[in-house]
Amino acid sequence: MSRRPLVAGNWKMCKTRAEAVAWCTDLTAGLADAEGVDLAVCPPATALAEVAAALAGSGVGVWGQNVHQAESGAFTGEISTGMLVEAGASGALLGHSERRALFNEHDDQLAEKVVACLAAGLDPVLCIGELEYARDAGSTEQILDEQLRRGLAQAAPEQVARVTVAYEPVWAIGTGRTATPAMAQEAHAFIRGVLRDFAGDAADGIRILYGGSVKPENAAELTAQPDVDGALVGGASLAAASLLAIAAATRP
Ligand code: PGA
């Protein structure tokens, strides 16, 4: 099955609303470069509605960087799925390694977030990846298997088909080090095998993004791998031109 590539930018805690809107202007001016590739951006929550308005009609997805599993309540600092939808989001990153490492997010909570997103009509983008010591110890597949199985534990098979997975080796995030294309392919093929256990043949339609120091110079060789269906880009997404260059390099 051929999967349409997807390139998403994660700004993390960067950009004011004014900077975010300026980025959208730059992106929409260059969208022809990304033809054939789906695009998405994850702005900080404060800029989400403005980014969604600036990108309305462009086909570019707008995703939250995180979301809470409850509909509302006493969860200071959190944002609900309904709030994201109202602000114009179409999806949400779940379990980014920074959320896991710095904010103690764990797989069981992510399992709840996955189904909360699906119930609200948001596309869940489940991020998984091993720490450096796990790779060195040869336990990458064990970690990926566990994160994926626990993260998808509450989703029905037909719901799993609506999930996007982002494989982000933690040692490659923000470090300038990337997995080799062969390492990425090996991990992505393994992930697709686990997805097959959940979703059967629909696993062939699930997009698995690679993330970790993706830039215009290395995007083509990574995304040329058969199971690498696009990229989740941090630092190199802060300039629209660079995200567009990555999308252009990703085009089949
Ligand atoms: P990076 O971040 O591209 O800056 O390594 C990727 C990510 O955190 O999603």
Side-chain angles (χ1 to χ4, degrees):
M1 184 186 287
S2 72
R3 294 172 293 271
R4 192 176 152 92
L6 168 60
V7 170
N10 172 16
W11 294 346
K12 311 189 180 186
M13 200 174 71
C14 298
K15 293 196 190 294
T16 62
R17 291 188 298 166
E19 289 165 347
V21 170
W23 183 96
C24 294
T25 306
D26 292 346
L27 187 85
T28 41
L31 270 184
D33 294 351
E35 215 181 294
V37 178
D38 288 338
L39 291 177
V41 61
C42 310
T46 46
L48 210 137
E50 257 151 318
V51 167
L55 295 176
S58 68
V60 179
V62 180
W63 301 343
Q65 296 180 7
N66 175 38
V67 72
H68 196 272
Q69 61 272 28
E71 278 176 28
S72 64
F75 303 105
T76 301
E78 293 292 312
I79 295 175
S80 72
T81 54
M83 292 169 189
L84 280 188
V85 170
E86 187 200 34
S90 57
L93 295 183
L94 301 178
H96 186 279
S97 73
E98 286 146 23
R99 299 292 319 167
R100 291 176 187 263
L102 305 174
F103 303 98
N104 297 321
E105 284 204 24
H106 53 82
D107 293 317
D108 299 341
Q109 187 184 11
L110 293 166
E112 292 182 33
K113 293 188 180 203
V114 167
V115 288
C117 279
L118 290 165
L122 288 170
D123 296 331
V125 183
L126 181 61
C127 304
I128 60 174
E130 80 286 0
L131 294 164
E132 186 164 30
Y133 82 86
R135 178 157 284 271
D136 291 346
S139 33
T140 297
E141 292 189 351
Q142 187 193 325
I143 299 290
L144 298 181
D145 187 77
E146 189 175 315
Q147 290 180 341
L148 206 49
R149 285 185 198 279
R150 291 180 63 186
L152 296 175
Q154 295 192 27
E158 67 277 9
Q159 290 183 308
V160 172
R162 291 172 47 202
V163 172
T164 297
V165 176
Y167 168 59
E168 301 201 297
V170 180
W171 47 271
I173 296 179
T175 58
R177 294 170 60 197
T178 29
T180 63
M183 279 158 80
Q185 169 56 25
E186 195 180 9
H188 283 228
F190 175 79
I191 290 166
R192 200 174 303 286
V194 177
L195 291 172
R196 203 173 298 285
D197 284 351
F198 281 88
D201 287 346
D204 289 324
I206 297 177
R207 290 189 285 200
I208 307 173
L209 312 181
Y210 170 80
S213 300
V214 176
K215 33 188 191 277
E217 299 76 42
N218 61 22
E221 56 175 8
L222 285 161
T223 58
Q225 302 302 308
D227 286 291
V228 179
D229 307 315
L232 179 55
V233 186
S237 73
L238 292 173
S242 143
L243 192 72
L244 286 166
I246 290 170
T250 300
R251 206 163 37 202

